[in-house]
């Protein structure tokens, strides 16, 4: 649907404007506005793609609070959203995009844990969320080997 396309566009725009886990323009207020507009558009839509859009917007909106909401509670909130994403991946899924989104979410969680002091060390993160991200991305490559560049 057009509403879903627009919501996904607002998600991409918000990430470019101010997602701390990615290179961004530093426009946090504008990023939050974009995520809010995306949320509004996807509200009430059904289907897997709409569910993915909602949880991705929720993650992005939460990550945009990074500067004002750090600490153990913040990392826990991000982890809860990642768990929601895990539940969206169907066993034996043939959509490499699902694995890419989940792998990126694991990487975001690793960054949050590292930056909020929740990881014990860089090595701990490598063995934890970062490793889980790599495994998830590799699973996606098993579905779609043409996208091997995402692990480069």
């Amino acid at each position: 649907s057009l509403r879903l396309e627009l919501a996904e566009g607002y998600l991409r725009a918000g990430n470019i404007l101010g997602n701390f886990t990615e290179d961004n323009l530093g426009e946090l207020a504008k990023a939050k506005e974009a995520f809010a507009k995306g949320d509004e558009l996807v509200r009430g839509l059904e289907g897997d793609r709409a569910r993915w859009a909602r949880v991705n917007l929720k993650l992005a909106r939460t990550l945009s609070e990074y500067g004002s909401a750090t600490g153990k509670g913040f990392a826990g909130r991000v982890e809860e959203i990642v768990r929601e994403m895990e539940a969206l991946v169907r066993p034996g899924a043939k959509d490499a995009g699902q694995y890419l989104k989940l792998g990126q979410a694991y990487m975001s969680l690793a960054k949050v844990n590292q930056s909020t002091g929740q990881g014990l060390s860089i090595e701990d993160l490598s063995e934890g969320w970062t490793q889980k991200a790599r495994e998830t991305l590799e699973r996606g490559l098993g579905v779609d080997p043409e996208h091997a560049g995402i692990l480069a």
Side-chain angles (χ1 to χ4, degrees):
S1 91
L2 184 56
R3 282 177 45 200
L4 185 53
E5 292 286 335
L6 288 170
E8 291 170 338
Y10 278 116
L11 173 63
R12 286 188 296 277
N15 284 337
I16 291 167
L17 289 165
N19 182 335
F20 100 96
T21 65
E22 302 175 17
D23 290 336
N24 67 76
L25 299 175
E27 298 284 343
L28 189 55
K30 289 180 182 176
K32 288 180 179 184
E33 288 175 23
F35 298 141
K37 287 178 182 178
D39 279 336
E40 189 177 311
L41 287 166
V42 80
R43 192 173 297 127
L45 296 179
E46 296 298 324
D48 286 345
R49 190 170 156 204
R51 283 187 278 281
W52 273 101
R54 267 193 295 282
V55 75
N56 276 303
L57 283 158
K58 184 177 181 180
L59 178 62
R61 192 175 60 250
T62 301
L63 291 172
S64 73
E65 299 170 9
Y66 170 71
S68 61
T70 58
K72 188 174 184 177
F74 179 72
R77 285 181 26 226
V78 173
E79 186 173 346
E80 285 176 24
I81 298 166
V82 170
R83 298 292 182 208
E84 288 180 45
M85 290 181 125
E86 288 175 331
L88 290 176
V89 176
R90 300 188 188 285
K94 300 294 185 206
D95 178 4
Q98 290 183 14
Y99 296 111
L100 175 61
K101 290 173 191 172
L102 183 57
Q104 289 169 330
Y106 287 141
M107 288 301 297
S108 294
L109 184 54
K111 289 177 186 178
V112 166
N113 279 307
Q114 182 180 16
S115 64
T116 59
Q118 298 304 302
L120 300 175
S121 66
I122 295 297
E123 292 79 21
D124 176 56
L125 290 173
S126 295
E127 294 300 319
W129 294 113
T130 304
Q131 181 61 33
K132 200 163 186 164
R134 182 169 187 83
E135 291 167 2
T136 303
L137 294 171
E138 287 173 346
R139 197 171 314 127
L141 288 177
V143 172
D144 185 5
E146 291 183 22
H147 290 89
I150 63 174
L151 291 177

